[in-house]
Amino acid sequence: MDQLIKPTKSFHCTLTVPGDKSISHRAVMLASLAEGTTEVTGFLPGEDCLSTISCFQAMGIQIQQSGDHVTVIGKGLHGLTAPAAALNCGNSGTTTRLLSGILSGQPFSSTICGDDSLQSRPMNRIALPLRQMGAQIEGQEKNGVLYAPFTITGGHLSPITYALPVASAQVKSCVLLAGLYTSGETTVIEPEPTRDHTERLLTYLGASLHREGNAITVSGKTPLTAKPISVPGDISSAAYFLCAAAICQDSSVTVQNVGVNPTRTGLLTALKQMGLSVTLAHERTVCGEPVADITCSYTPNLRPITLQGAIIPTLIDELPVLAVVACFAKGDTIIAGAQELKVKESNRIRTVVEELTKLGAHLEETEDGMIIHGGYPLHGALVKSHMDHRIAMSLAVAALAAQSPVTIAQSQCVDISFPGFFQQLSQFIR
Ligand code: S3P
């Protein structure tokens, strides 16, 4: 589907965005493994999270979903039953990797598959620690890299201490979830802190878990107890509105009820470094997660910045839209140490550079990121999403501040993480 976006006038608005994708996945997974009934509110009814629901339904868990409300009748750590067919994770890397940790502890074999994008993403990063723990994982390997579909035969797992070779919350979570099925302590050491929603939700539901520096340890065999889960708005979705206000003259936006977990707020730090006013109000903690209302206002004097090191995992999904903002800063913004962008839903280093170049931006691909030569006005063009939801929404933000209309092809992929994105955009920003 093609989506036309016209340049906008200045806007001032207050809105909410759908629930956090990472927390929604974990809510359904952990509620399925908990004992008792969990009511989840604020759930993201995006395609990725619906894939998670259907995988657990296929393993005998009763789950009812209506909009952002989900009821899960958990059956405890050992209540899953063998699925009759392959578990289809669709486009969702989070479903695939976290689910694999859980499947490794089950006394049955199951196969994981997904769409073309998912089946081209590396899975050896989870197979390596899970095999060390005792799971059997078989699938097609090309040049030593495992891809879905693959089959996991779970069983008797042993605890391990695992140092992550790449900073990945999905791999960390996968190993911690497998650790629930061992009778000892499983430790994951991360090179840099990554999103810690799994740790927070496990703790909230009664698991025994502690963190020392960059090492997180979970004790196996502790039961999880059902408790109501309220999911905050997704900062990765709020990012599109905050960044639109950052580059559209005399504009400002407040996004209410957004998760502001410090492992996710690198975007806010980066926007402040660029000279923007970013403020938090009504700060509170909900189900173990920090939540606030975020306001961001336009500045005509955006500064270029360098992003590298520990901040990268805290804004990894926001880098495409930050690249758009950097087009409006006079000078060179450098993004380095972000090679993980190459193995997301698309190769986001390449797709960002390719598509923003069509709009008149000056930027170049590097081995581990990109350099954005800011200060060149953007103009209309036909661009495409590469079926990557974050690319589609980032291009929409660029279009709002371009000098003529932009058409985004394959725009329907926004439904992966933000159903109703274009409707909300046209409602608040014209
Ligand atoms: C996620 C972790 C990140 C992120 C993804 C969601 C999660 O991936 O990019 O959108 O929910 O754990 P990596 O763990 O591969 O960095």
Side-chain angles (χ1 to χ4, degrees), residues 21-22 25-26 94 97-98 121 125 167-171 173 195 316-317 340 344-345 348 390:
K21 179 156 82 74
S22 293
H25 282 299
R26 287 156 172 84
T94 306
R97 298 198 175 110
L98 272 61
R121 297 178 67 182
R125 51 180 62 195
S168 163
Q170 292 179 354
V171 182
S173 302
R195 65 191 68 195
I316 188 75
D317 291 341
E340 277 295 296
K344 297 294 177 188
E345 287 83 331
R348 288 184 179 158
R390 303 217 182 277

Side-chain angles (χ1 to χ4, degrees), residues 28 32 52-53 56-57 61-65 70-73:
V28 169
S32 298
T52 293
I53 288 185
F56 280 85
Q57 285 171 329
I61 304 295
Q62 272 187 52
I63 306 178
Q64 273 179 351
Q65 178 253 335
V70 182
T71 306
V72 183
I73 305 184

Side-chain angles (χ1 to χ4, degrees), residues 77-78 155-157 178-184 218-224:
L77 283 176
H78 300 285
H156 187 75
L157 299 186
L180 294 177
Y181 290 92
T182 68
S183 40
V218 70
S219 304
K221 308 269 154 126
T222 320
L224 305 178

